[in-house]
Amino acid sequence: MFARLGHAIHLGANNIRNRALMPEISLYGNRFSGHSYKVRLYLTLTKTPHVYKTVDLLQSRADRQVDFRERARFGEVPLLIINGQPYAQSNAILLRLQKSLGITCAEQEQQNIVEWLMWEQGRLGSSLPNLRFERLFNSQTKQDVQAWLEERLRNDLDVLNAHLSGTSGFVVGMGLTIADCSLAGYLYWLSDAGLDIDNWPKVQAWLQRISELDGWQHPDKLMA
């Protein structure tokens, strides 16, 4: 079942005989950012050495650390640095890491992965963090706005739950890929948005499956 993840690890840090050839990787993120978490989760599960640096999002952009400001084109986390080259936007970063680690998929599988990344960006990766933010940090949000966000999130979870009902246990193929890390980015915080994961049993089982992989940590711990 976990052949793909094992393959990913093998092609990552453990496959390079000369450790000096491993790229120097730094990740800038924030403990509340699921978009940062998805990238660090992938780095961790593939056992890819990296340096993690926190960015205080409560600071004004002008007051954030200079090295981050100079490299972050959009001023946002996550920001990945590979051998001095900055990469922005979480799903684009995941695609870059997949390539950098030499992890390949069949053509149709790769197409499916990209499609899920695009869906996550426009749907689940938008509806969940927005509703979570409003219910966790902004008590003044109007109820009709929260209701709209919740309906959208419920629809997204229905789509993912239905898809997982017909898979081997992961989003694409027989094991974990960047699509799984992308989609899971905020889902371990679903209760912060006021929803119960029990209502989507296939999603719940999939998240549990990921959490049983070697190296997994909850975002509250991994991003601290």
Side-chain angles (χ1 to χ4, degrees):
M1 178 176 290
F2 304 119
R4 177 64 56 74
L5 182 62
H7 186 55
I9 292 174
H10 179 66
L11 286 172
N14 297 333
N15 189 44
I16 297 186
R17 294 179 182 177
N18 184 352
R19 302 283 295 186
L21 295 178
M22 278 296 293
E24 293 184 5
I25 297 177
S26 297
L27 173 67
Y28 293 83
N30 178 270
R31 63 185 299 266
F32 295 113
S33 167
H35 296 303
S36 299
Y37 174 65
K38 68 173 77 167
V39 176
R40 191 157 201 224
L41 178 63
Y42 188 68
L43 287 167
T44 302
L45 292 179
T46 55
K47 303 188 184 306
T48 301
H50 63 284
V51 175
Y52 174 57
K53 302 180 180 182
T54 61
V55 177
D56 185 358
L57 298 182
L58 295 179
Q59 287 185 318
S60 67
R61 296 194 177 197
D63 291 331
R64 294 170 189 171
Q65 55 259 55
V66 175
D67 56 337
F68 173 75
R69 296 201 321 265
E70 290 179 345
R71 296 173 170 181
R73 178 185 306 170
F74 306 112
E76 300 174 340
V77 295
L79 174 71
L80 191 77
I81 310 295
I82 302 180
N83 291 336
Q85 177 65 44
Y87 298 92
Q89 300 298 304
S90 60
N91 288 336
I93 288 172
L94 288 173
L95 286 167
R96 178 70 257 180
L97 281 172
Q98 182 190 42
K99 184 176 182 179
S100 295
L101 296 177
I103 299 169
T104 59
C105 300
E107 182 177 358
Q108 187 56 53
E109 285 192 0
Q110 186 64 29
Q111 175 65 27
N112 292 341
I113 287 171
V114 172
E115 289 178 3
W116 277 110
L117 295 182
M118 297 302 102
W119 181 83
E120 188 276 343
Q121 179 177 313
R123 296 291 311 193
L124 186 62
S126 174
S127 59
L128 176 49
N130 280 319
L131 181 60
R132 174 177 178 254
F133 177 83
E134 299 302 339
R135 288 186 167 163
L136 199 61
F137 301 110
N138 188 6
S139 60
Q140 303 303 314
T141 305
K142 294 181 179 179
Q143 289 300 311
D144 58 342
V145 173
Q146 290 194 26
W148 182 84
L149 288 169
E150 180 174 328
E151 180 181 9
R152 185 177 176 88
L153 175 55
R154 287 181 176 277
N155 290 337
D156 294 342
L157 288 166
D158 288 345
V159 169
L160 182 57
N161 197 73
H163 172 73
L164 289 167
S165 298
T167 70
S168 63
F170 291 91
V171 174
V172 177
M174 299 300 293
L176 182 135
T177 69
I178 58 175
D180 296 277
C181 291
S182 174
L183 291 161
Y186 277 92
L187 281 171
Y188 292 103
W189 283 320
L190 184 63
S191 61
D192 287 348
L195 275 66
D196 190 340
I197 193 63
D198 289 345
N199 294 317
W200 295 274
K202 295 299 181 181
V203 176
Q204 182 180 40
W206 164 71
L207 290 173
Q208 179 62 33
R209 195 170 297 114
I210 295 173
S211 73
E212 293 170 355
L213 297 175
D214 183 41
W216 179 88
Q217 294 183 61
H218 190 276
D220 286 339
K221 182 176 182 179
L222 188 60
M223 306 307 293

